[in-house]
Amino acid sequence: MNKSAKRTLKYLSLAVFGMFFFSFALVPLYDVFCEVTGLNGKISQSEEGVSYESNTGRDLTIQFVSHNAEQMPWIFRPSEKIMKVKTGKYSNATFFVKNNTDKPMTARAVPSVAPSNANEYLKKLECFCFEEQFLAPGEEALLPVRFIFDSNIPESINNVALSYTIFDITNYNDMEMAHHDGR
Amino acid sequence: MSSVIESHHDDHHHGPAKGLMRWLLTTNHKDIGTLYLWFSFAMFLIGGAMAMVIRAELFQPGMQIVQPEFYNQMLTLHGLIMVFGAVMPAFVGLANWLIPMMVGAPDMALPRLNNLSFWLLPFAFGILLSSLFMEGGAPNFGWTFYAPLSTTYAPPSVTFFIFSVHIMGASSIMGSINVIVTIMNMRAPGMDLMKMPLFVWSWLITAYLLIAVMPVLAGAVTMMLMDIHFGTSFFNAAGGGDPVLFQHIFWFFGHPEVYIMILPAFGIISHIIETFARKQLFGYESMVWAMLSIAILSFVVWAHHMFTVGMPLAAELFFMWATMLIAVPTGVKVFNWVATMFKGSISFETPMLFAIAFVVLFTIGGFSGLMLSIVPADFQYHDTYFVVAHFHYVLVPGSIFSIMAAVYYWIPKWTGNMYDERMGRLHFWLSFVGVNVTFFPQHWIGLAGMPRRYPDYALQFADWNMVSTAGAFLFGASQILFLFIVLKTVLGGKKATPQVWEGARGLEWSVESPAPYHTFSTPPKVN
């Protein structure tokens, strides 16, 4: 094989490895994209840039929705289904959750906002979705959400739905644990 | 490499080794091309048999022949085998046979790698097919294997599926590296890039696409593997991952992949049309630029497969317009083919019949693609039989007709014998009628709302499904005739002249028929 063929071969092999790693680079790139656009419930958690003009705030309806992921036996529901809030003002809501099994379990709630373009204007200052939830058998809890709507939210948005899906991650954690201390 | 050195001191009567070991150990591009073509034909028949199971089940509403679980496995394996086992290896086989002869090279640049990339394939598909006999059955999540269907809810055989995709990917990557190194470094003196035959151009572009996206597919299945066995959560929402990410990565591979399956066809059809129209191809340069533009655009349209996942409006508009833009270079190609035929003295031998059918039917598939690219319309068409009709129109009378056309066109060069023209035409007409009867009604039942991928359907779709099944069995049976014609040609027939076709141009027609085991040991002169 001549020299230039060897060079072509080298470049092409590099390109193959490069593209393999690029496919993994797509994972953080995708997260960055979702954070920038506020898609898929990847909501920014900072308060930066929120306009607090509480006097000029307008009325907005927020609906709370809860889902159980498949095979998640907990009782999980919003304390109030609908709230009237004002933009630029802090509001609080709670979700009721109960571990109705006889085993200790860990769960995680994943949020999602509809319509998706309301996402970037909804700031959550405190949310149970930031942390894993552990409940002993039969234990129940009220999980808090503290949020604020940016006053710059477009006029066309009058209704926002904030939905949570709760996942059972008990075994998931065991698996990760096994990886951490098992090997 | 060794073959180059050999050709200097060996005499030119050096032929193939004898017996089975010839095929196992061969590094000859013609042998490997033959292996690829036979392998893909075997896969075509296996994947086709699965299609017959699917269509037989859909002959009437209600469950008749198979269980839904098995139906899903047939659907998945049919897609995987046809894409990775039939269409892609057939094009690689044609590339092996033709590219060295078309550019005046003695062989592929990396003959041993060539042997390896073929012999990986039987193992990859052996593993994939063996999953049918495993506990829990074969993969049942569709050829697009969306997570979490292919991770959380997958049968245990998914790990074998992942392994076989890794092997297929490695094989395609090696094959395309070989093609690029050959084209870039082994052309005969005087053959500039813009003098290369269009089949060579189409494969150069295809090989670059393969190198860019097969590693991404490997990455996607690796992430699945890690989610299933190593506790990561790339695609698992509970652990902070996202199943939609899978679709983005998959289609970032998947859209270039569909052009990988059609670009070599563009090259083949260009050669056949110019031969049988007895005119020089109209707009050679624009053909090259059109293929390049299609290849580049293929990287920025992937999300049109997933308009309904919930994307921002701006993204939907971008992907819609980018997709529509592809119609422009594709239109250039179609008009060039028509212009080549215009005022030509056309004769209608079997390859030309397939080529003309390709132009017409591929264009129909292109138009339904254009309909699907319209975002609001796509919300209606998404996951219906309209999509099934669309991609079968571009793949069956598109890619597969082009492969059949290529076989009829070059088989006299490969075997030294002419195929039986009368039987060839019969095969064409049966296939042509079969394919249209199968897939055209699927447009209508799709528009009427029949969803894809179910083993059963509502009563109002019964009539056209029955027609579609009848067409499918006609098409399937006519491929047995194709097998017979090919075997008959291999075994004997009217002797072919070196040029074979009156209007044929290109270096491969300057050597004898059948092409000697070693060609162009000294490079030819190209003006």
Side-chain angles (χ1 to χ4, degrees), chain B residues 179-251:
Chain B
V179 166
I180 297 178
V181 178
T182 308
I183 298 175
M184 297 311 271
N185 297 289
M186 297 181 66
R187 290 185 316 257
M191 182 169 285
D192 308 334
L193 282 179
M194 287 315 263
K195 276 188 194 160
M196 287 196 312
L198 274 175
F199 180 70
V200 180
W201 253 116
S202 70
W203 243 109
L204 182 63
I205 296 166
T206 304
Y208 273 109
L209 286 181
L210 277 165
I211 282 178
V213 300
M214 289 313 279
V216 176
L217 175 69
V221 292
T222 306
M223 289 177 207
M224 276 169 58
L225 187 77
M226 297 205 281
D227 270 13
I228 295 169
H229 293 294
F230 304 118
T232 58
S233 25
F234 285 102
F235 309 129
N236 188 339
D242 194 334
V244 179
L245 170 67
F246 177 86
Q247 298 184 28
H248 280 288
I249 295 178
F250 179 82
W251 286 114

Side-chain angles (χ1 to χ4, degrees), chain B residues 370-449:
Chain B
L370 212 49
M371 287 170 73
L372 285 162
S373 75
I374 303 165
V375 175
D378 182 74
F379 272 69
Q380 169 75 20
Y381 306 151
H382 188 84
D383 266 348
T384 67
Y385 259 78
F386 189 77
V387 178
V388 177
H390 157 70
F391 68 74
H392 280 95
Y393 256 85
V394 288
L395 281 174
V396 185
S399 307
I400 293 192
F401 270 24
S402 83
I403 293 164
M404 288 172 178
V407 169
Y408 283 112
Y409 183 58
W410 279 293
I411 205 170
K413 181 54 67 189
W414 300 337
T415 64
N417 304 322
M418 295 303 286
Y419 61 89
D420 185 328
E421 185 62 53
R422 219 165 39 109
M423 287 172 95
R425 286 183 199 196
L426 178 66
H427 169 230
F428 166 76
W429 283 110
L430 291 176
S431 296
F432 180 81
V433 172
V435 89
N436 283 298
V437 172
T438 310
F439 296 114
F440 212 86
Q442 295 184 0
H443 288 113
W444 304 324
I445 52 179
L447 289 179

Side-chain angles (χ1 to χ4, degrees), chain B residues 264-337:
Chain B
F266 290 167
I268 292 165
I269 297 303
S270 304
H271 288 297
I272 292 175
I273 286 182
E274 77 175 338
T275 297
F276 294 98
R278 291 167 180 78
K279 270 177 66 189
Q280 202 177 356
L281 187 76
F282 185 87
Y284 170 90
E285 279 187 32
S286 65
M287 288 298 214
V288 173
W289 288 111
M291 283 192 288
L292 276 171
S293 338
I294 291 171
I296 290 163
L297 283 171
S298 75
F299 285 100
V300 293
V301 296
W302 78 89
H304 68 212
H305 295 271
M306 35 191 293
F307 277 145
T308 56
V309 296
M311 276 190 284
L313 188 63
E316 306 216 286
L317 289 173
F318 170 79
F319 285 111
M320 174 171 90
W321 284 327
T323 306
M324 288 178 163
L325 202 57
I326 295 180
V328 177
T330 314
V332 167
K333 300 197 73 75
V334 171
F335 285 120
N336 279 349
W337 288 322

Side-chain angles (χ1 to χ4, degrees), chain B residues 58-75:
Chain B
L58 296 174
F59 185 63
Q60 285 182 325
M63 300 311 301
Q64 329 282 342
I65 297 170
V66 294
Q67 294 302 307
E69 295 77 20
F70 187 68
Y71 179 90
N72 290 345
Q73 296 171 25
M74 286 292 104
L75 203 72

